[in-house]
C-alpha cells in the first residue's frame, strides 16, 4: 500500500482539545499512512505536502471567517480539502435553509435580517410568531442564540446588537426541541450512526457545554429520507455530514446541516471511528 499524507485540522484553544482528530490519526497511522493533526491557521504548515486535508474541529472559524474561507480555497489548490470548498461556502451561512425549504425539504420558517437592518423590533413582530430564536447567520454552538417572546425588549436588543455585526436569522421556537434534537451522521452518503441530544431541564440548547446530554437513537425512515433530500441539494458531493433534525408538527424537520466542522459523535458508536477513517481512506483514490 502506498503511504499517503493526511492532515486533520483543528483549532488552537487549549480549553478543549478535541480527541476525535487524534483518534482518527492514530488509526490512519496504524494503516500505514502519515497522518498529522494540525491547527488550520498555522502559518508554518506546507499544506501542499499533503494528499488530503480534512476539516475537523476548526471551531474558531466563525470569528475569522474571511481568513478561514481564503485558507480553504488556498489549500484546495495545492492539495484536496474535504468537504469541498463549494460545500463549505454554501453551508457557512444559514441562508441555505431557505433554499432547502424552497425545494420542499421540511425546515422551520425563517426571517433573515441583513447586517445593519433597522427597525428590527417591527420586523420580528411582523412574523406573527409568538416565541422565537434569534441567532447570527454565521455561528455555531448556540454561542449567541437567544430565545424569547417577540415582544421582549431584551430579545430585540440582542437582535439589534448582533445584526450590527452580521446577518441574523429569526425562527419560531420549535417545542419539539425539548424532547431532543436528532443528529444523523452520514459518511459518503451512507448512514453511520445517530444520537439524540437532549437539553437540560428549562433550556432549549442541546450542546454539552450548555448542559445537554447525549442518548442513543434509532433512525426512522422518515428522518433518513429528510436527511438525504437535504444533502442532495448541496452544490457538490458531501463526504461527511451531520444532519440535525427536530420533530415539528409531526414531521422530521431540518434545524441545521453541519458540513464544515461538526462534532461527529464518534464516541456514541463502537464502530463509528473506524467508519469515519474508512471514509477518509476512500477519498485517497
Amino acid at each position: 500500500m502506498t503511504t499517503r499524507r493526511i492532515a486533520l485540522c483543528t483549532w488552537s484553544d487549549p480549553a478543549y482539545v478535541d480527541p476525535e482528530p487524534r483518534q482518527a490519526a492514530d488509526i490512519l497511522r496504524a494503516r500505514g499512512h502519515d497522518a498529522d493533526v494540525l491547527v488550520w491557521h498555522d502559518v508554518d504548515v506546507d499544506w501542499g505536502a499533503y494528499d488530503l486535508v480534512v476539516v475537523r474541529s476548526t471551531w474558531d472559524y466563525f470569528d475569522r471567517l474571511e481568513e478561514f474561507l481564503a485558507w480553504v480555497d488556498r489549500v484546495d489548490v495545492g492539495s484536496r480539502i474535504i468537504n469541498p470548498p463549494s460545500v463549505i461556502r454554501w453551508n457557512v451561512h444559514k441562508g441555505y435553509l431557505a433554499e432547502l425549504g424552497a425545494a420542499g425539504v421540511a425546515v422551520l420558517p425563517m426571517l433573515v435580517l441583513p447586517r445593519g437592518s433597522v427597525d428590527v423590533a417591527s420586523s420580528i413582530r411582523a412574523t406573527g410568531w409568538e416565541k422565537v430564536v434569534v441567532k447570527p447567520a454565521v455561528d455555531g454552538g448556540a454561542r449567541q442564540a437567544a430565545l424569547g417572546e417577540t415582544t421582549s425588549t431584551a430579545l430585540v436588543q440582542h437582535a439589534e446588537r448582533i445584526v450590527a455585526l452580521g446577518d441574523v436569522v429569526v425562527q419560531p421556537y420549535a417545542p419539539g426541541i425539548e424532547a431532543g434534537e436528532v443528529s444523523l451522521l452520514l459518511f459518503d452518503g451512507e448512514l453511520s450512526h445517530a444520537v439524540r441530544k437532549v437539553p437540560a431541564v428549562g433550556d432549549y440548547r442541546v450542546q454539552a457545554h450548555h448542559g445537554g446530554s447525549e442518548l442513543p437513537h434509532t433512525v426512522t425512515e422518515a428522518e433518513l429520507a429528510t436527511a438525504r433530500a437535504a444533502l442532495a441539494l448541496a452544490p457538490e458531493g458531501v463526504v461527511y455530514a451531520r444532519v440535525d433534525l427536530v420533530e415539528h408538527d409531526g414531521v422530521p424537520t431540518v434545524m441545521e446541516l453541519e458540513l464544515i466542522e461538526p462534532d461527529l459523535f464518534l464516541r456514541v458508536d463502537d464502530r463509528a471511528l473506524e467508519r469515519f477513517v474508512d471514509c477518509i481512506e476512500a477519498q485517497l483514490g
Side-chain angles (χ1 to χ4, degrees):
M1 180 184 66
T2 303
T3 297
R4 311 296 288 276
R5 296 200 70 194
I6 304 156
L8 297 105
C9 301
T10 186
W11 66 341
S12 58
D13 191 338
Y16 179 70
V17 178
D18 179 22
E20 291 186 353
R22 287 162 175 78
Q23 292 165 352
D26 288 344
I27 294 178
L28 286 165
R29 292 186 197 110
R31 295 184 182 185
H33 300 292
D34 185 355
D36 296 318
V37 178
L38 303 168
V39 173
W40 70 270
H41 51 77
D42 187 339
V43 296
D44 295 326
V45 176
D46 177 10
W47 299 103
Y50 290 91
D51 298 291
L52 185 66
V53 177
V54 185
V55 180
R56 287 306 312 117
S57 41
T58 57
W59 292 329
D60 52 354
Y61 89 80
F62 318 104
D63 301 318
R64 312 171 67 152
L65 181 59
E66 293 307 317
E67 178 187 355
F68 177 74
L69 293 176
W71 170 79
V72 167
D73 290 340
R74 186 171 65 253
V75 170
D76 202 58
V77 171
S79 179
R80 178 173 174 239
I81 193 167
I82 55 173
N83 278 316
S86 64
V87 171
I88 290 173
R89 286 185 174 276
W90 179 73
N91 190 228
V92 78
H93 188 290
K94 299 184 196 304
Y96 71 85
L97 290 166
E99 182 179 333
L100 299 186
V105 176
V107 299
L108 291 179
M110 65 186 294
L111 166 69
V112 177
L113 299 173
R115 179 177 181 174
S117 291
V118 296
D119 207 4
V120 170
S122 62
S123 296
I124 293 177
R125 285 197 303 270
T127 63
W129 303 324
E130 181 178 348
K131 184 183 282 190
V132 296
V133 175
V134 172
K135 53 191 172 184
V138 180
D139 200 18
R143 298 185 313 162
Q144 298 186 69
L147 169 66
E149 306 287 338
T150 54
T151 55
S152 164
T153 299
L155 180 87
V156 170
Q157 289 176 341
H158 176 73
E160 290 172 339
R161 282 194 298 272
I162 60 177
V163 84
L165 303 174
D167 295 351
V168 167
V169 169
V170 182
Q171 291 179 299
Y173 177 64
I177 196 70
E178 295 163 21
E181 178 182 82
V182 170
S183 289
L184 278 62
L185 290 305
L186 295 96
F187 303 147
D188 281 337
E190 295 301 318
L191 178 67
S192 168
H193 57 290
V195 61
R196 180 178 292 272
K197 301 169 293 183
V198 181
V201 175
D203 207 331
Y204 69 99
R205 298 167 298 181
V206 299
Q207 295 82 5
H209 59 274
H210 291 303
S213 56
E214 303 162 11
L215 300 173
H217 179 74
T218 300
V219 176
T220 68
E221 291 185 8
E223 289 167 347
L224 186 55
T226 296
R228 286 186 165 149
L231 292 175
L233 295 169
E236 197 171 339
V238 176
V239 178
Y240 58 87
R242 195 183 87 209
V243 181
D244 294 337
L245 305 171
V246 66
E247 192 81 6
H248 185 63
D249 292 336
V251 176
T253 300
V254 176
M255 294 290 283
E256 300 272 1
L257 295 183
E258 295 284 358
L259 311 180
I260 302 173
E261 36 52 84
D263 182 342
L264 295 175
F265 294 95
L266 301 179
R267 57 194 172 274
V268 306
D269 185 290
D270 291 341
R271 293 296 312 285
L273 179 59
E274 291 277 354
R275 286 192 290 267
F276 178 57
V277 173
D278 290 344
C279 173
I280 293 174
E281 274 198 309
Q283 306 307 309
L284 295 170

